[in-house]
Structure formats: structure tokens, C-alpha cells
Amino acid sequence: MNSSFANIKAIVKRELVSYFASPVAYVFLVIFLLLTGFFTFTVGNFFERGEANLSAFFAWHPWLYLVLVPAVGMRVWSEERRAGTMELLLTMPVNPWEAILAKFLASWIFLGIALALTFPIAVTANVLGDPDNGQILAGYFGSLFLSGAYLAITCMTSAMTRNQVISFILSVVLCLFLILAGFNPVTDMLTRWANPAVVEIVAAFSVVTHFDGFQKGVIDTRDLFFFLSVIGFALFATSVIIRNHRAG
Amino acid sequence: MIRIANLTKSFGLKTAVNDLSFEVQRGEVLGFLGPNGAGKSTTMRMITGFLPPTAGSITVGGHDVVESPLEAKRLIGYLPENAASYPDMSVHGFLAFAAELRGLAGAAKKKAVARVVDLCFLESVLYQQIDTLSKGYKHRTCLAQALIHDPEVLIMDEPTDGLDPNQKHEVRNLIREMGRTKAVIFSTHILEEVDAACSRAIIIDRGRIVANGTPEELKAMSELAGAVTLGVEGTAPQPVAERLAALPAVARVEPLANGMLRSYPKDKLASAELARSIMELAARETWKVAALRTEEGHLDEVFRRITLPDTIKQQRT
């Protein structure tokens, strides 16, 4: 178990170092921060709302992450396959699940850093009004899990192909499905020709439904369980894909 | 150290490796030869645990590669084909990463990195990013990674591919050096490397072993092996050839383009006798002998003969 931890640590460190060794990481951070700012203040009318909360900020996250998380995660495995380093990594005395988990964690930490850098928005709300900081914290927490779920899906699609573009498109489509299943216009349309129980089941698969609670400041174990099971399932699927790829 | 029994690998309908069995002991350098697509890389990928075999078993140092992969992998140092490495890392970072995955930390890690940097002459590029390096340096970086934990088993897929002659020479010396204490398998399609570095060679073709022996034994399979080439001055080649052909040990005489005559022995094992009888004949006839040598046989001739498609078909039917 000790060696598992050491292996995971080594791979996480390597991934993070290589993220920050390339300009892509900084470009991503800047774009992410610009877009969150733009959506919160300009499109979300943060000031005009006159509310001391960050709902104008968090409401955009499922959509922002839809493009940005696949952009971060698309290279995770496809690049290893393309460069042939997967062979190197998997012939080291490392369990495949250690490598899969470590690579996921590294990218998640990177997304966490990007999210943490949005702290001026929380500060702004605190300067201008008197928001419920517990609610804000819950929102950040939910946003982190939301990005984790998208990321795990992207890891899975990334393991399927050596082409990063295909990996990107596949993960955007899958994540879009997870949004749309609970997106109001879609659920409204569904209610017209399906019975409410079915609509509810479909909506239960949506990240939007489960992210809502966090935004309101409620950390529900069911929502947490949902995100963790999406992550767990996608990473398990990643391991199956990698094993099948090697089995030929 | 390495024992391979009835190893088979199929990709869909295509059988890449077909019922391969061989062993490599400590202190042995096994050259793995074969035309492109013969199954060399696939075999090595199975030994290193990257690809699972379809059938058969592989044990490395007593550990079954499929049953207890981690124990087996710990013993192995592997240089993959094309010497893949992380292009966005520095040489030092990459080697430190490899050392960490090999369970080395702190002072032991530093020592291991310093040792391979020295061994593979990487001092001058230690803090350069790998994708800015020349091919030779990239290759040596990956080789250094394979040696970082001083493995008991070393597996190298075309270790000299893309290197300049000096670097090739260095890598061959290194392989020979490693072969004294480790079990080494390396693949190549450069036949002179077999002579330069191997203690034994296996030729595989279409996933099967078609020859297995020391370089000398393989060369002896050559038609040329044991033939005696004679150069005579001042006498026309034709009568000399007739006299040679009349010798009891000579099977046939072939005139060469440069005027020399090559006599093939009836019995390959008696090539010394052939040389002696030709020398005696030359003395009796008072020929002015300019050159007389016994041929060793060429590996590439053996290689071509046993891996040519038509020959194989004939052998199989």
C-alpha cells in the first residue's frame, strides 16, 4: 500500500510538472478566469442582481466546464498512447489503477487550482455585501466535484484514442448529455410525452440537478454520491479500455 | 532468469507470435533477430508485461509475468522501441521520475540518477528538455531509464536504432558489459551487432524460431562456412580450378570475380583438412600463392536464406 502511495505521488508530481512546464497551462488558467469573469459580471449581471451570493458565478460552471475540462483532460491518455510512453509507464512496477488514479488526480488538482484562483469573486461579494460564506464554500465544493465528473469522463474518452481531437469531441458530447438530461428546456419537453417518473429518472442522471443543491449551500450525500459514482465508473471504464487495448 | 514456454500472441485472426520457447540465463546476451514484423517487439512487450500473452507462459526470475506482474517488472529494465520518453520533461526530471517509480527515494535516488547519467554520458544535457535533444541523446536518456535500478534483466528493443556509428559502438560495449552479470535480450536487424555483442542469437520469422545458437553456430549454417578461397599469381585460373576440383575433399570450385577460386568442402566439419590438402597441392604444383583463407560464413546469408518467404514455405511443407 505504501508503494502504491509513492507511485501515485510520483505520477501526480510528474503530471503537474509537465502541465506547468508548457504554456498551455497558463493559457488555460487565463482563459478560464477571463470567461468566469465575463459570464459572472457581464452575462450574469452580478452587480445588477443586488444579491450577496455567487449564483451568477456558479450557474455557468456546468457550461464552462463543458469545453474547458475536456481541453485539460483530452491529452491524459491519448498523448501517452501517441508518444509511446504508455508502454514505458505500464512496464514500470506500477498497477494500472495507480496510474489511472494518479493521472486523474493530477488533472483534478490543476482544475482545482484554476477554480481556487477565482477567489476574488468571493472576496468581491464579501466586500460589497454580507453573503453566506458557507453557501459559497458549498458552491466551490460542488463545482470541484462537477469538474471531477467531467474530467473522469474525459480520461475515459482519452484512453479510447490516440487522437486528442476525437477524445475532446467525445467527452464534450458525453458531458453535454449529462447536462441536458436535467436542463429545464429538455425536461419540459420530455414531460410532454413521458410520464413524470421517467422524466425524474432521466433528470437524476444530470449533473445540473445534483449541482443545484451545492449552489444553494446544501451538501447532500446523495449529490456527493452521484458525482463520486460518475468518477468511479468513468475511471473503472478507463481501466477496462486500457486493458482491452493491450489485450489486442 | 527468463523462461518462455509455448508463448503465443494473436491479434484478431493474425498470429504475431507462434509457440515460442526459449530461455536466457544470467550472464547471457541474447540477440533477437528477424525481419520487420516477425514478432520481435510483440515478444518483448509480452516479456515486459505490457501485452498479455494469448497462450503460453513467461517467468522472469521465477515470477510469472501474468500472475505476479509487479514482482517480475521490478527485475526488468526495458528500453521500448523508438525509445519513448516524456518530451516535456528535463532529462534529470525524467530519470528522477523513473527512479521514484522504481521505489528509490532520497539519497538512493540521487545516487542512481548520477550513476546512469555517468554511464550514458548525459551530463551535458541533464537539465535540457527532452524534446530539444538530438535522437542519440533521447535514446540514451531512455536507456538510462532502463538501467536506473540496476536491473537483473535488461530488455531492449532495437537499442542502436538511429544512432551514429560511434554511439552504436558505445551502446554495444555497454550491452556486452551488462551481459556479464545480467540476463540481456535485445532485438536488432543489424547483423554485425550479433557478432559484436551477443553470446547467443535467435532468429524468428513470422512468430516462430527458425534458428537458435551462438553466432559461430549460426555462421556455420552458411553455405560459405568452411570454404577455402585461394588466390594464385602467374597461372591461369582454369587449370588451377580443375586441379582443385579433383581433390577428394572438394565438393565444387567457384571462380570469383577477382580471379580467386573458392573451393567448397564436401564435409563442412572438415574444413581444416580441406585447407591442408589445398596447401599441399599448391606446394606440389609450385603455384605462387597470393592468398589463402578459410571462410567463416556470413550471418546475413544465413539470415536471408532462412527468412526468405519461399524457402520457408518449402521447409514447412
Side-chain angles (χ1 to χ4, degrees):
Chain A
M1 214 56 218
N2 233 343
S3 79
S4 286
F5 181 73
N7 286 342
I8 290 172
K9 200 179 106 187
I11 298 172
V12 167
K13 198 175 83 185
R14 193 211 78 74
E15 291 280 316
L16 279 177
V17 167
S18 81
Y19 264 123
F20 287 103
S22 78
V24 179
Y26 301 98
V27 170
F28 174 85
L29 287 178
V30 169
I31 289 179
F32 176 75
L33 295 176
L34 281 177
L35 282 180
T36 47
F38 172 73
F39 278 110
T40 309
F41 292 106
T42 311
V43 186
N45 296 322
F46 180 71
F47 293 122
E48 288 81 350
R49 280 174 180 231
E51 294 169 18
N53 64 36
L54 292 189
S55 56
F57 168 65
F58 288 121
W60 296 103
H61 282 196
W63 298 99
L64 257 179
Y65 285 153
L66 179 61
V67 181
L68 293 178
V69 173
V72 169
M74 64 184 181
R75 51 167 281 286
V76 167
W77 285 103
S78 52
E79 182 63 19
E80 294 261 350
R81 273 176 71 165
R82 198 191 55 76
T85 45
M86 190 155 133
E87 195 172 336
L88 202 67
L89 186 62
L90 296 181
T91 53
M92 290 280 182
V94 172
N95 268 317
W97 69 261
E98 292 166 3
I100 290 166
L101 186 64
K103 278 173 142 314
F104 168 76
L105 283 178
S107 302
W108 205 14
I109 290 171
F110 177 73
L111 288 169
I113 292 170
L115 183 64
L117 286 176
T118 62
F119 71 92
I121 291 184
V123 172
T124 308
N126 270 295
V127 168
L128 295 178
D130 186 20
D132 178 355
N133 281 319
Q135 187 188 355
I136 291 178
L137 209 61
Y140 269 109
F141 200 62
S143 176
L144 190 63
F145 274 94
L146 178 69
S147 69
Y150 283 12
L151 181 66
I153 288 167
T154 312
C155 284
M156 179 180 78
T157 61
S158 178
M160 289 175 185
T161 166
R162 65 179 61 206
N163 186 326
Q164 294 193 14
V165 178
I166 294 175
S167 146
F168 177 82
I169 292 169
L170 274 177
S171 50
V172 168
V173 169
L174 286 176
C175 294
L176 185 64
F177 171 79
L178 285 186
I179 295 180
L180 290 182
F183 190 48
N184 283 339
V186 177
T187 47
D188 289 350
M189 193 179 72
L190 276 177
T191 42
R192 259 182 264 155
W193 33 265
N195 75 52
V198 173
V199 177
E200 212 162 294
I201 289 170
V202 172
F205 278 101
S206 171
V207 290
V208 176
T209 323
H210 294 279
F211 183 50
D212 260 350
F214 286 102
Q215 285 188 64
K216 294 187 184 109
V218 185
I219 300 179
D220 190 330
T221 46
R222 278 173 301 177
D223 294 338
L224 215 53
F225 183 76
F226 169 79
F227 284 119
L228 286 176
S229 51
V230 169
I231 292 171
F233 173 78
L235 292 184
F236 172 72
T238 309
S239 76
V240 171
I241 290 165
I242 287 175
R243 200 174 55 218
N244 281 351
H245 166 64
R246 288 159 69 199
Chain B
M1 275 313 270
I2 307 171
R3 177 175 296 133
I4 287 165
N6 309 101
L7 186 66
T8 300
K9 177 76 185 174
S10 331
F11 296 102
L13 289 175
K14 192 177 171 287
T15 305
V17 173
N18 196 345
D19 201 23
L20 223 57
S21 301
F22 63 87
E23 281 183 33
V24 185
Q25 306 300 335
R26 195 189 292 272
E28 230 182 340
V29 179
L30 178 74
F32 218 45
L33 306 175
N36 288 329
K40 302 189 294 282
S41 292
T42 308
T43 306
M44 296 187 142
R45 284 176 178 159
M46 285 192 281
I47 298 173
T48 53
F50 180 63
L51 294 176
T54 309
S57 72
I58 308 164
T59 49
V60 175
H63 303 287
D64 189 292
V65 171
V66 178
E67 303 284 318
S68 42
L70 295 190
E71 286 77 4
K73 284 173 184 177
R74 277 195 195 104
L75 298 176
I76 301 174
Y78 179 41
L79 174 72
E81 200 178 10
N82 304 325
S85 51
Y86 292 101
D88 47 12
M89 296 183 93
S90 72
V91 172
H92 183 268
F94 178 63
L95 294 178
F97 171 62
E100 280 164 24
L101 288 188
R102 294 295 185 180
L104 299 166
K109 180 172 86 174
K110 266 193 194 136
K111 219 174 115 189
V113 171
R115 189 181 67 88
V116 293
V117 164
D118 205 40
L119 204 59
C120 301
F121 309 100
L122 292 167
E123 191 61 53
S124 59
V125 295
L126 199 49
Y127 293 100
Q128 267 190 47
Q129 204 171 315
I130 289 174
D131 62 356
T132 65
L133 298 179
S134 69
K135 191 164 183 187
Y137 273 117
K138 273 184 195 165
H139 214 93
R140 278 185 273 167
T141 304
C142 197
L143 182 62
Q145 162 279 129
L147 300 172
I148 195 129
H149 54 305
D150 199 14
E152 294 185 47
V153 173
L154 195 55
I155 295 180
M156 294 178 281
D157 203 348
E158 300 194 2
T160 58
D161 183 45
L163 300 182
D164 71 31
N166 292 334
Q167 293 165 337
K168 277 188 181 149
H169 184 74
E170 277 165 28
V171 169
R172 279 176 210 157
N173 283 346
L174 197 68
I175 293 172
R176 245 202 327 261
E177 190 65 35
M178 295 289 151
R180 294 208 183 119
T181 52
K182 304 175 195 309
V184 181
I185 300 183
F186 78 95
S187 74
T188 180
H189 39 231
I190 305 170
L191 293 160
E192 60 194 82
E193 268 168 17
V194 176
D195 258 337
C198 293
S199 58
R200 196 153 62 86
I202 283 179
I203 303 182
I204 68 170
D205 185 41
R206 300 171 188 197
R208 286 173 181 277
I209 294 180
V210 288
N212 181 355
T214 63
E216 288 71 32
E217 283 167 355
L218 290 183
K219 276 191 284 193
M221 290 169 69
S222 161
E223 210 171 85
L224 193 59
V228 174
T229 306
L230 175 73
V232 176
E233 275 175 358
T235 314
Q238 189 55 36
V240 175
E242 278 163 16
R243 298 303 306 270
L244 285 173
L247 285 173
V250 174
R252 64 189 173 87
V253 178
E254 179 191 45
L256 301 183
N258 57 8
M260 296 215 238
L261 295 163
R262 182 171 291 158
S263 318
Y264 290 91
K266 279 186 178 140
D267 178 7
K268 268 191 189 178
L269 298 174
S271 69
E273 189 195 314
L274 174 70
R276 206 163 39 242
S277 63
I278 290 177
M279 252 171 354
E280 281 164 11
L281 176 70
R284 272 204 307 276
E285 302 285 328
T286 60
W287 290 332
K288 280 187 187 162
V289 175
L292 180 76
R293 64 164 186 271
T294 304
E295 303 289 347
E296 261 201 310
H298 291 309
L299 269 177
D300 54 352
E301 188 214 319
V302 178
F303 181 83
R304 264 202 311 278
R305 193 156 51 81
I306 62 183
T307 59
L308 267 184
D310 289 340
T311 329
I312 292 295
K313 269 181 214 148
Q314 281 170 14
Q315 279 175 359
R316 281 188 185 162
T317 49

